[in-house]
């Protein structure tokens, strides 16, 4: 099988019927942003299945508008923390936090493949996406930029951006639990035990307040502004507004959010770092460390020459793709999850931004380097950006998806598709 065929086989193999697991074993449920990328991948060979994926995701939207980060369709003892730990009372059970809102941007990519076929599907999805974006503003943008109440909400779980906020979480009373992730993947590639104690403590806090999102923001142990989600949400608003206008919907509320979020960007610009930076909203302190979330700025047309220089500095310090943490900082750990590795799907997301920013040279470089990782080792979750070592889960859905949509294509081909 060639790589295109392998990628399609991975998507089909991870398809549980209406939803796709990120990979068997390590992540046996439906994850929010993984699912949006799965939909994008399906759109290259089965457009109706792509829309189905987004429908299944949005079907678990909470009544307050939140779309949860995990949907536990069927129990699986191989994952911790499972539905009994989250205890959110939803049917099917879900986690109690959200994840980066890439679904509108992925919906737009799918809609662009065939607008006529997508019209009815998008019309049905539009009010749900709108409600979810409203939820971000009501419950997470209370301080201006988009904030997270748990590192898992950022999707970039253990990246250094959250270290300062994590210091404020006391994980000592967490009690006994057994991790399952390290039974599937080498422990040196996963977050550490001290981090897990705090992750679970934050889940326990949510349970304690009955997953009341306003209380979690006001009283919870962790609240940090996330540049990554801020830019992804801004971009999502723009994509949603484009589709809304084409459908004849009123998009003035979306335009208002866009305006608000853009005005909040100076709050996450750290002049000392010369980059966007995460900020601990409980103390007002910047994270003080350059993370991959900052480079999502390209997605939202929010880059500038200082950020361009930082991007090239961290990128030139490695060989394959944009690293998830600064290789010149002491916290860099090239194989540990979000503390250094290159993530193909994150490269693909940044590439959409680079292309829109007119940086075709950088997009092409990123595509070549990402493709080289997959060509050498297959569809792993993430890779050592210096020596290509494949890390995390194998046969990963979003790595297969971005091969089909971007990394495995000629750039000329993807441009043509984007313009169609
Ligand atoms: C995990 O289990 O590591 C997930 O990233 C949490 O969403």
């Amino acid at each position: 099988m060639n790589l295109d065929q392998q990628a399609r086989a991975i998507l089909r193999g991870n398809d549980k019927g209406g939803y796709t697991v990120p990979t068997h074993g390590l992540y046996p449920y439906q994850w929010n942003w993984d699912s949006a990328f799965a939909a994008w991948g399906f759109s290259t060979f089965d457009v109706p299945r792509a829309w189905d994926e987004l429908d299944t995701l949005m079907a678990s939207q909470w009544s307050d508008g939140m779309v949860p980060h995990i949907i536990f369709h069927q129990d699986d003892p191989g994952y911790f923390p499972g539905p009994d730990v989250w205890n959110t009372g939803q049917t099917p059970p879900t986690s109690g936090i959200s994840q980066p809102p890439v679904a509108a941007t992925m919906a737009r990519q799918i809609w662009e493949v065939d607008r006529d076929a997508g019209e009815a599907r998008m019309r049905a999805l539009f009010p749900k996406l709108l409600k979810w974006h409203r939820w971000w503003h009501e419950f997470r943008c209370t301080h201006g930029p988009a904030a997270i109440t748990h590192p898992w909400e950022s999707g970039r779980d253990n990246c250094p951006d959250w270290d300062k906020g994590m210091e404020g979480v006391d994980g000592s009373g967490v009690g006994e639990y057994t991790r399952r992730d390290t039974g599937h993947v080498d422990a040196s590639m996963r977050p550490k035990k001290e981090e897990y104690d705090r992750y679970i403590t934050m889940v326990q806090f949510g349970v304690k307040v009955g997953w009341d999102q306003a209380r979690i923001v006001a009283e919870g142990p962790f609240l940090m502004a996330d540049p990554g989600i801020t830019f992804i949400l801004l971009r999502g608003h723009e994509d949603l507004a484009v589709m809304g206008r084409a459908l004849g919907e009123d998009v003035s509320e979306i335009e208002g959010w866009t305006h608000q979020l853009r005005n909040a960007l100076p709050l996450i610009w750290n002049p000392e770092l010369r980059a966007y930076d995460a900020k601990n909203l409980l103390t007002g302190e910047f994270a003080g460390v350059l993370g991959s979330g900052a480079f999502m700025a390209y997605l939202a047309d929010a880059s500038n020459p200082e950020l361009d220089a930082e991007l090239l500095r961290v990128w030139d310090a490695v060989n394959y793709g944009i690293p998830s943490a600064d290789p010149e900082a002491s916290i860099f750990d090239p194989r540990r999850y979000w503390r250094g590795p290159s993530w193909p799907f994150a490269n693909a997301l940044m590439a959409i931004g680079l292309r829109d920013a007119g940086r075709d040279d950088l997009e092409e470089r990123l595509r070549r380097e990402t493709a080289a990782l997959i060509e050498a080792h297959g569809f792993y979750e993430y890779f050592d950006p210096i020596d290509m070592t494949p890390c995390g889960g194998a046969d990963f859905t979003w790595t297969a998806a971005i091969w089909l949509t971007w990394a495995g294509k000629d750039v000329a081909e993807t441009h043509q598709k984007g313009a169609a």
Side-chain angles (χ1 to χ4, degrees), residues 61-90:
Q61 182 164 42
W62 285 22
S63 58
D64 66 2
M66 185 178 81
V67 183
H69 103 293
I70 308 176
I71 304 158
F72 301 105
H73 291 280
Q74 355 170 261
D75 212 10
D76 191 312
Y79 182 78
F80 177 86
D84 49 331
V85 180
W86 287 93
N87 194 12
T88 57
Q90 301 285 315

PDB file of all heavy atoms in Angstrom, residues 61-90:
ATOM      1  N   GLN A  61     -23.122  18.303  22.364  1.00  0.00           N
ATOM      2  CA  GLN A  61     -23.033  19.670  22.916  1.00  0.00           C
ATOM      3  C   GLN A  61     -23.875  19.769  24.192  1.00  0.00           C
ATOM      4  O   GLN A  61     -24.992  19.255  24.251  1.00  0.00           O
ATOM      5  CB  GLN A  61     -23.583  20.643  21.865  1.00  0.00           C
ATOM      6  CG  GLN A  61     -23.509  22.099  22.254  1.00  0.00           C
ATOM      7  CD  GLN A  61     -23.694  22.996  21.033  1.00  0.00           C
ATOM      8  OE1 GLN A  61     -24.554  22.743  20.178  1.00  0.00           O
ATOM      9  NE2 GLN A  61     -22.889  24.041  20.941  1.00  0.00           N
ATOM     10  N   TRP A  62     -23.326  20.410  25.196  1.00  0.00           N
ATOM     11  CA  TRP A  62     -24.084  20.602  26.443  1.00  0.00           C
ATOM     12  C   TRP A  62     -25.146  21.685  26.239  1.00  0.00           C
ATOM     13  O   TRP A  62     -25.038  22.500  25.312  1.00  0.00           O
ATOM     14  CB  TRP A  62     -23.133  21.046  27.570  1.00  0.00           C
ATOM     15  CG  TRP A  62     -22.268  19.963  28.115  1.00  0.00           C
ATOM     16  CD1 TRP A  62     -21.917  18.793  27.499  1.00  0.00           C
ATOM     17  CD2 TRP A  62     -21.618  19.948  29.399  1.00  0.00           C
ATOM     18  NE1 TRP A  62     -21.092  18.057  28.317  1.00  0.00           N
ATOM     19  CE2 TRP A  62     -20.890  18.748  29.487  1.00  0.00           C
ATOM     20  CE3 TRP A  62     -21.561  20.834  30.473  1.00  0.00           C
ATOM     21  CZ2 TRP A  62     -20.134  18.405  30.609  1.00  0.00           C
ATOM     22  CZ3 TRP A  62     -20.808  20.510  31.600  1.00  0.00           C
ATOM     23  CH2 TRP A  62     -20.115  19.294  31.664  1.00  0.00           C
ATOM     24  N   SER A  63     -26.120  21.737  27.144  1.00  0.00           N
ATOM     25  CA  SER A  63     -27.177  22.739  26.977  1.00  0.00           C
ATOM     26  C   SER A  63     -26.636  24.161  27.110  1.00  0.00           C
ATOM     27  O   SER A  63     -27.204  25.098  26.558  1.00  0.00           O
ATOM     28  CB  SER A  63     -28.314  22.489  27.973  1.00  0.00           C
ATOM     29  OG  SER A  63     -27.780  22.531  29.275  1.00  0.00           O
ATOM     30  N   ASP A  64     -25.496  24.332  27.803  1.00  0.00           N
ATOM     31  CA  ASP A  64     -24.931  25.690  27.899  1.00  0.00           C
ATOM     32  C   ASP A  64     -24.123  26.070  26.651  1.00  0.00           C
ATOM     33  O   ASP A  64     -23.657  27.203  26.539  1.00  0.00           O
ATOM     34  CB  ASP A  64     -24.063  25.839  29.169  1.00  0.00           C
ATOM     35  CG  ASP A  64     -22.786  24.982  29.158  1.00  0.00           C
ATOM     36  OD1 ASP A  64     -22.524  24.288  28.145  1.00  0.00           O
ATOM     37  OD2 ASP A  64     -22.042  24.999  30.157  1.00  0.00           O
ATOM     38  N   GLY A  65     -23.949  25.109  25.714  1.00  0.00           N
ATOM     39  CA  GLY A  65     -23.230  25.394  24.468  1.00  0.00           C
ATOM     40  C   GLY A  65     -21.865  24.735  24.374  1.00  0.00           C
ATOM     41  O   GLY A  65     -21.285  24.635  23.296  1.00  0.00           O
ATOM     42  N   MET A  66     -21.335  24.273  25.514  1.00  0.00           N
ATOM     43  CA  MET A  66     -19.997  23.671  25.468  1.00  0.00           C
ATOM     44  C   MET A  66     -19.981  22.385  24.633  1.00  0.00           C
ATOM     45  O   MET A  66     -20.909  21.580  24.732  1.00  0.00           O
ATOM     46  CB  MET A  66     -19.503  23.335  26.881  1.00  0.00           C
ATOM     47  CG  MET A  66     -18.066  22.816  26.849  1.00  0.00           C
ATOM     48  SD  MET A  66     -17.383  22.457  28.467  1.00  0.00           S
ATOM     49  CE  MET A  66     -18.081  20.840  28.768  1.00  0.00           C
ATOM     50  N   VAL A  67     -18.948  22.211  23.854  1.00  0.00           N
ATOM     51  CA  VAL A  67     -18.730  20.925  23.182  1.00  0.00           C
ATOM     52  C   VAL A  67     -17.555  20.279  23.903  1.00  0.00           C
ATOM     53  O   VAL A  67     -16.449  20.826  23.914  1.00  0.00           O
ATOM     54  CB  VAL A  67     -18.458  21.110  21.676  1.00  0.00           C
ATOM     55  CG1 VAL A  67     -18.298  19.749  20.999  1.00  0.00           C
ATOM     56  CG2 VAL A  67     -19.605  21.880  21.040  1.00  0.00           C
ATOM     57  N   PRO A  68     -17.792  19.159  24.583  1.00  0.00           N
ATOM     58  CA  PRO A  68     -16.777  18.580  25.463  1.00  0.00           C
ATOM     59  C   PRO A  68     -15.564  18.022  24.735  1.00  0.00           C
ATOM     60  O   PRO A  68     -15.635  17.704  23.550  1.00  0.00           O
ATOM     61  CB  PRO A  68     -17.536  17.459  26.176  1.00  0.00           C
ATOM     62  CG  PRO A  68     -18.687  17.148  25.314  1.00  0.00           C
ATOM     63  CD  PRO A  68     -19.044  18.395  24.561  1.00  0.00           C
ATOM     64  N   HIS A  69     -14.482  17.883  25.497  1.00  0.00           N
ATOM     65  CA  HIS A  69     -13.246  17.442  24.842  1.00  0.00           C
ATOM     66  C   HIS A  69     -13.213  15.950  24.587  1.00  0.00           C
ATOM     67  O   HIS A  69     -12.601  15.511  23.624  1.00  0.00           O
ATOM     68  CB  HIS A  69     -12.023  17.999  25.575  1.00  0.00           C
ATOM     69  CG  HIS A  69     -11.245  17.102  26.475  1.00  0.00           C
ATOM     70  ND1 HIS A  69     -11.748  16.589  27.652  1.00  0.00           N
ATOM     71  CD2 HIS A  69      -9.971  16.650  26.381  1.00  0.00           C
ATOM     72  CE1 HIS A  69     -10.788  15.875  28.228  1.00  0.00           C
ATOM     73  NE2 HIS A  69      -9.716  15.888  27.494  1.00  0.00           N
ATOM     74  N   ILE A  70     -13.929  15.158  25.421  1.00  0.00           N
ATOM     75  CA  ILE A  70     -14.023  13.709  25.132  1.00  0.00           C
ATOM     76  C   ILE A  70     -15.493  13.292  25.215  1.00  0.00           C
ATOM     77  O   ILE A  70     -16.210  13.717  26.118  1.00  0.00           O
ATOM     78  CB  ILE A  70     -13.268  12.839  26.163  1.00  0.00           C
ATOM     79  CG1 ILE A  70     -11.820  13.285  26.355  1.00  0.00           C
ATOM     80  CG2 ILE A  70     -13.284  11.361  25.735  1.00  0.00           C
ATOM     81  CD1 ILE A  70     -11.078  12.491  27.452  1.00  0.00           C
ATOM     82  N   ILE A  71     -15.883  12.431  24.291  1.00  0.00           N
ATOM     83  CA  ILE A  71     -17.214  11.809  24.364  1.00  0.00           C
ATOM     84  C   ILE A  71     -16.984  10.311  24.529  1.00  0.00           C
ATOM     85  O   ILE A  71     -16.360   9.663  23.685  1.00  0.00           O
ATOM     86  CB  ILE A  71     -18.038  12.109  23.096  1.00  0.00           C
ATOM     87  CG1 ILE A  71     -18.113  13.636  22.909  1.00  0.00           C
ATOM     88  CG2 ILE A  71     -19.441  11.511  23.221  1.00  0.00           C
ATOM     89  CD1 ILE A  71     -18.413  14.058  21.511  1.00  0.00           C
ATOM     90  N   PHE A  72     -17.475   9.806  25.662  1.00  0.00           N
ATOM     91  CA  PHE A  72     -17.235   8.397  26.014  1.00  0.00           C
ATOM     92  C   PHE A  72     -18.373   7.546  25.454  1.00  0.00           C
ATOM     93  O   PHE A  72     -19.295   7.177  26.181  1.00  0.00           O
ATOM     94  CB  PHE A  72     -17.180   8.254  27.533  1.00  0.00           C
ATOM     95  CG  PHE A  72     -16.116   9.085  28.214  1.00  0.00           C
ATOM     96  CD1 PHE A  72     -16.458  10.240  28.919  1.00  0.00           C
ATOM     97  CD2 PHE A  72     -14.777   8.704  28.173  1.00  0.00           C
ATOM     98  CE1 PHE A  72     -15.483  10.993  29.564  1.00  0.00           C
ATOM     99  CE2 PHE A  72     -13.796   9.460  28.822  1.00  0.00           C
ATOM    100  CZ  PHE A  72     -14.157  10.605  29.521  1.00  0.00           C
ATOM    101  N   HIS A  73     -18.312   7.243  24.173  1.00  0.00           N
ATOM    102  CA  HIS A  73     -19.428   6.510  23.559  1.00  0.00           C
ATOM    103  C   HIS A  73     -19.600   5.118  24.154  1.00  0.00           C
ATOM    104  O   HIS A  73     -20.713   4.673  24.365  1.00  0.00           O
ATOM    105  CB  HIS A  73     -19.237   6.407  22.044  1.00  0.00           C
ATOM    106  CG  HIS A  73     -19.368   7.723  21.346  1.00  0.00           C
ATOM    107  ND1 HIS A  73     -20.583   8.291  21.045  1.00  0.00           N
ATOM    108  CD2 HIS A  73     -18.437   8.595  20.897  1.00  0.00           C
ATOM    109  CE1 HIS A  73     -20.393   9.455  20.431  1.00  0.00           C
ATOM    110  NE2 HIS A  73     -19.095   9.656  20.334  1.00  0.00           N
ATOM    111  N   GLN A  74     -18.495   4.404  24.352  1.00  0.00           N
ATOM    112  CA  GLN A  74     -18.605   3.079  24.973  1.00  0.00           C
ATOM    113  C   GLN A  74     -17.486   2.953  25.984  1.00  0.00           C
ATOM    114  O   GLN A  74     -16.377   3.402  25.736  1.00  0.00           O
ATOM    115  CB  GLN A  74     -18.470   1.926  23.981  1.00  0.00           C
ATOM    116  CG  GLN A  74     -18.375   2.305  22.533  1.00  0.00           C
ATOM    117  CD  GLN A  74     -18.001   1.134  21.653  1.00  0.00           C
ATOM    118  OE1 GLN A  74     -16.841   0.981  21.275  1.00  0.00           O
ATOM    119  NE2 GLN A  74     -18.963   0.296  21.311  1.00  0.00           N
ATOM    120  N   ASP A  75     -17.787   2.337  27.099  1.00  0.00           N
ATOM    121  CA  ASP A  75     -16.802   2.248  28.171  1.00  0.00           C
ATOM    122  C   ASP A  75     -15.545   1.507  27.696  1.00  0.00           C
ATOM    123  O   ASP A  75     -15.644   0.570  26.902  1.00  0.00           O
ATOM    124  CB  ASP A  75     -17.433   1.509  29.360  1.00  0.00           C
ATOM    125  CG  ASP A  75     -16.866   2.047  30.665  1.00  0.00           C
ATOM    126  OD1 ASP A  75     -16.163   3.074  30.611  1.00  0.00           O
ATOM    127  OD2 ASP A  75     -17.112   1.434  31.709  1.00  0.00           O
ATOM    128  N   ASP A  76     -14.390   1.952  28.147  1.00  0.00           N
ATOM    129  CA  ASP A  76     -13.138   1.275  27.807  1.00  0.00           C
ATOM    130  C   ASP A  76     -12.202   1.349  29.007  1.00  0.00           C
ATOM    131  O   ASP A  76     -11.707   2.429  29.336  1.00  0.00           O
ATOM    132  CB  ASP A  76     -12.498   1.943  26.589  1.00  0.00           C
ATOM    133  CG  ASP A  76     -11.350   1.115  26.045  1.00  0.00           C
ATOM    134  OD1 ASP A  76     -10.484   0.680  26.841  1.00  0.00           O
ATOM    135  OD2 ASP A  76     -11.313   0.897  24.824  1.00  0.00           O
ATOM    136  N   PRO A  77     -11.966   0.223  29.660  1.00  0.00           N
ATOM    137  CA  PRO A  77     -11.137   0.230  30.860  1.00  0.00           C
ATOM    138  C   PRO A  77      -9.681   0.580  30.588  1.00  0.00           C
ATOM    139  O   PRO A  77      -8.912   0.836  31.522  1.00  0.00           O
ATOM    140  CB  PRO A  77     -11.258  -1.212  31.385  1.00  0.00           C
ATOM    141  CG  PRO A  77     -11.691  -2.019  30.201  1.00  0.00           C
ATOM    142  CD  PRO A  77     -12.458  -1.093  29.295  1.00  0.00           C
ATOM    143  N   GLY A  78      -9.287   0.655  29.315  1.00  0.00           N
ATOM    144  CA  GLY A  78      -7.900   0.959  28.977  1.00  0.00           C
ATOM    145  C   GLY A  78      -7.577   2.441  29.044  1.00  0.00           C
ATOM    146  O   GLY A  78      -6.458   2.839  28.753  1.00  0.00           O
ATOM    147  N   TYR A  79      -8.557   3.289  29.420  1.00  0.00           N
ATOM    148  CA  TYR A  79      -8.292   4.730  29.482  1.00  0.00           C
ATOM    149  C   TYR A  79      -8.573   5.268  30.875  1.00  0.00           C
ATOM    150  O   TYR A  79      -9.551   4.894  31.527  1.00  0.00           O
ATOM    151  CB  TYR A  79      -9.157   5.505  28.474  1.00  0.00           C
ATOM    152  CG  TYR A  79      -8.844   6.986  28.506  1.00  0.00           C
ATOM    153  CD1 TYR A  79      -7.707   7.487  27.887  1.00  0.00           C
ATOM    154  CD2 TYR A  79      -9.670   7.883  29.195  1.00  0.00           C
ATOM    155  CE1 TYR A  79      -7.392   8.848  27.942  1.00  0.00           C
ATOM    156  CE2 TYR A  79      -9.364   9.240  29.256  1.00  0.00           C
ATOM    157  CZ  TYR A  79      -8.229   9.719  28.625  1.00  0.00           C
ATOM    158  OH  TYR A  79      -7.915  11.052  28.687  1.00  0.00           O
ATOM    159  N   PHE A  80      -7.714   6.147  31.329  1.00  0.00           N
ATOM    160  CA  PHE A  80      -7.938   6.863  32.584  1.00  0.00           C
ATOM    161  C   PHE A  80      -7.641   8.340  32.341  1.00  0.00           C
ATOM    162  O   PHE A  80      -6.633   8.644  31.708  1.00  0.00           O
ATOM    163  CB  PHE A  80      -7.017   6.327  33.691  1.00  0.00           C
ATOM    164  CG  PHE A  80      -7.167   7.086  34.977  1.00  0.00           C
ATOM    165  CD1 PHE A  80      -8.147   6.730  35.896  1.00  0.00           C
ATOM    166  CD2 PHE A  80      -6.366   8.199  35.243  1.00  0.00           C
ATOM    167  CE1 PHE A  80      -8.316   7.458  37.061  1.00  0.00           C
ATOM    168  CE2 PHE A  80      -6.535   8.923  36.406  1.00  0.00           C
ATOM    169  CZ  PHE A  80      -7.516   8.557  37.321  1.00  0.00           C
ATOM    170  N   PRO A  81      -8.412   9.276  32.832  1.00  0.00           N
ATOM    171  CA  PRO A  81      -9.639   9.164  33.622  1.00  0.00           C
ATOM    172  C   PRO A  81     -10.895   8.978  32.740  1.00  0.00           C
ATOM    173  O   PRO A  81     -11.153   9.786  31.849  1.00  0.00           O
ATOM    174  CB  PRO A  81      -9.699  10.519  34.335  1.00  0.00           C
ATOM    175  CG  PRO A  81      -9.013  11.478  33.387  1.00  0.00           C
ATOM    176  CD  PRO A  81      -7.979  10.661  32.656  1.00  0.00           C
ATOM    177  N   GLY A  82     -11.633   7.950  33.041  1.00  0.00           N
ATOM    178  CA  GLY A  82     -12.833   7.607  32.277  1.00  0.00           C
ATOM    179  C   GLY A  82     -14.072   8.339  32.787  1.00  0.00           C
ATOM    180  O   GLY A  82     -13.993   9.214  33.653  1.00  0.00           O
ATOM    181  N   PRO A  83     -15.234   7.941  32.261  1.00  0.00           N
ATOM    182  CA  PRO A  83     -16.483   8.655  32.553  1.00  0.00           C
ATOM    183  C   PRO A  83     -16.850   8.706  34.032  1.00  0.00           C
ATOM    184  O   PRO A  83     -17.425   9.693  34.489  1.00  0.00           O
ATOM    185  CB  PRO A  83     -17.536   7.864  31.767  1.00  0.00           C
ATOM    186  CG  PRO A  83     -16.868   6.628  31.272  1.00  0.00           C
ATOM    187  CD  PRO A  83     -15.402   6.867  31.284  1.00  0.00           C
ATOM    188  N   ASP A  84     -16.489   7.687  34.791  1.00  0.00           N
ATOM    189  CA  ASP A  84     -16.838   7.696  36.219  1.00  0.00           C
ATOM    190  C   ASP A  84     -16.044   8.759  36.974  1.00  0.00           C
ATOM    191  O   ASP A  84     -16.524   9.327  37.960  1.00  0.00           O
ATOM    192  CB  ASP A  84     -16.604   6.302  36.826  1.00  0.00           C
ATOM    193  CG  ASP A  84     -15.225   5.756  36.479  1.00  0.00           C
ATOM    194  OD1 ASP A  84     -14.688   6.116  35.396  1.00  0.00           O
ATOM    195  OD2 ASP A  84     -14.662   5.000  37.288  1.00  0.00           O
ATOM    196  N   VAL A  85     -14.833   9.047  36.515  1.00  0.00           N
ATOM    197  CA  VAL A  85     -14.016  10.078  37.173  1.00  0.00           C
ATOM    198  C   VAL A  85     -14.554  11.475  36.833  1.00  0.00           C
ATOM    199  O   VAL A  85     -14.682  12.338  37.695  1.00  0.00           O
ATOM    200  CB  VAL A  85     -12.528   9.960  36.755  1.00  0.00           C
ATOM    201  CG1 VAL A  85     -11.687  11.012  37.441  1.00  0.00           C
ATOM    202  CG2 VAL A  85     -12.004   8.560  37.048  1.00  0.00           C
ATOM    203  N   TRP A  86     -14.924  11.685  35.593  1.00  0.00           N
ATOM    204  CA  TRP A  86     -15.442  13.000  35.175  1.00  0.00           C
ATOM    205  C   TRP A  86     -16.831  13.250  35.767  1.00  0.00           C
ATOM    206  O   TRP A  86     -17.158  14.373  36.140  1.00  0.00           O
ATOM    207  CB  TRP A  86     -15.507  13.098  33.645  1.00  0.00           C
ATOM    208  CG  TRP A  86     -14.169  13.237  33.003  1.00  0.00           C
ATOM    209  CD1 TRP A  86     -13.377  12.229  32.522  1.00  0.00           C
ATOM    210  CD2 TRP A  86     -13.421  14.443  32.804  1.00  0.00           C
ATOM    211  NE1 TRP A  86     -12.209  12.740  32.013  1.00  0.00           N
ATOM    212  CE2 TRP A  86     -12.215  14.096  32.168  1.00  0.00           C
ATOM    213  CE3 TRP A  86     -13.668  15.797  33.075  1.00  0.00           C
ATOM    214  CZ2 TRP A  86     -11.237  15.042  31.811  1.00  0.00           C
ATOM    215  CZ3 TRP A  86     -12.711  16.739  32.720  1.00  0.00           C
ATOM    216  CH2 TRP A  86     -11.521  16.365  32.102  1.00  0.00           C
ATOM    217  N   ASN A  87     -17.642  12.212  35.759  1.00  0.00           N
ATOM    218  CA  ASN A  87     -18.947  12.274  36.426  1.00  0.00           C
ATOM    219  C   ASN A  87     -19.741  13.542  36.074  1.00  0.00           C
ATOM    220  O   ASN A  87     -20.149  14.298  36.953  1.00  0.00           O
ATOM    221  CB  ASN A  87     -18.690  12.195  37.947  1.00  0.00           C
ATOM    222  CG  ASN A  87     -19.947  11.913  38.729  1.00  0.00           C
ATOM    223  OD1 ASN A  87     -20.969  11.551  38.142  1.00  0.00           O
ATOM    224  ND2 ASN A  87     -19.890  12.103  40.027  1.00  0.00           N
ATOM    225  N   THR A  88     -19.948  13.762  34.769  1.00  0.00           N
ATOM    226  CA  THR A  88     -20.626  15.000  34.347  1.00  0.00           C
ATOM    227  C   THR A  88     -22.132  14.827  34.207  1.00  0.00           C
ATOM    228  O   THR A  88     -22.845  15.813  33.971  1.00  0.00           O
ATOM    229  CB  THR A  88     -20.075  15.494  32.987  1.00  0.00           C
ATOM    230  OG1 THR A  88     -20.238  14.442  32.018  1.00  0.00           O
ATOM    231  CG2 THR A  88     -18.614  15.889  33.081  1.00  0.00           C
ATOM    232  N   GLY A  89     -22.614  13.580  34.258  1.00  0.00           N
ATOM    233  CA  GLY A  89     -24.060  13.351  34.164  1.00  0.00           C
ATOM    234  C   GLY A  89     -24.623  13.516  32.763  1.00  0.00           C
ATOM    235  O   GLY A  89     -25.835  13.610  32.595  1.00  0.00           O
ATOM    236  N   GLN A  90     -23.766  13.555  31.743  1.00  0.00           N
ATOM    237  CA  GLN A  90     -24.253  13.692  30.362  1.00  0.00           C
ATOM    238  C   GLN A  90     -24.517  12.311  29.756  1.00  0.00           C
ATOM    239  O   GLN A  90     -23.950  11.319  30.188  1.00  0.00           O
ATOM    240  CB  GLN A  90     -23.196  14.393  29.499  1.00  0.00           C
ATOM    241  CG  GLN A  90     -22.809  15.773  29.978  1.00  0.00           C
ATOM    242  CD  GLN A  90     -23.865  16.819  29.689  1.00  0.00           C
ATOM    243  OE1 GLN A  90     -24.424  16.875  28.597  1.00  0.00           O
ATOM    244  NE2 GLN A  90     -24.152  17.658  30.673  1.00  0.00           N
TER     245      GLN A  90
END
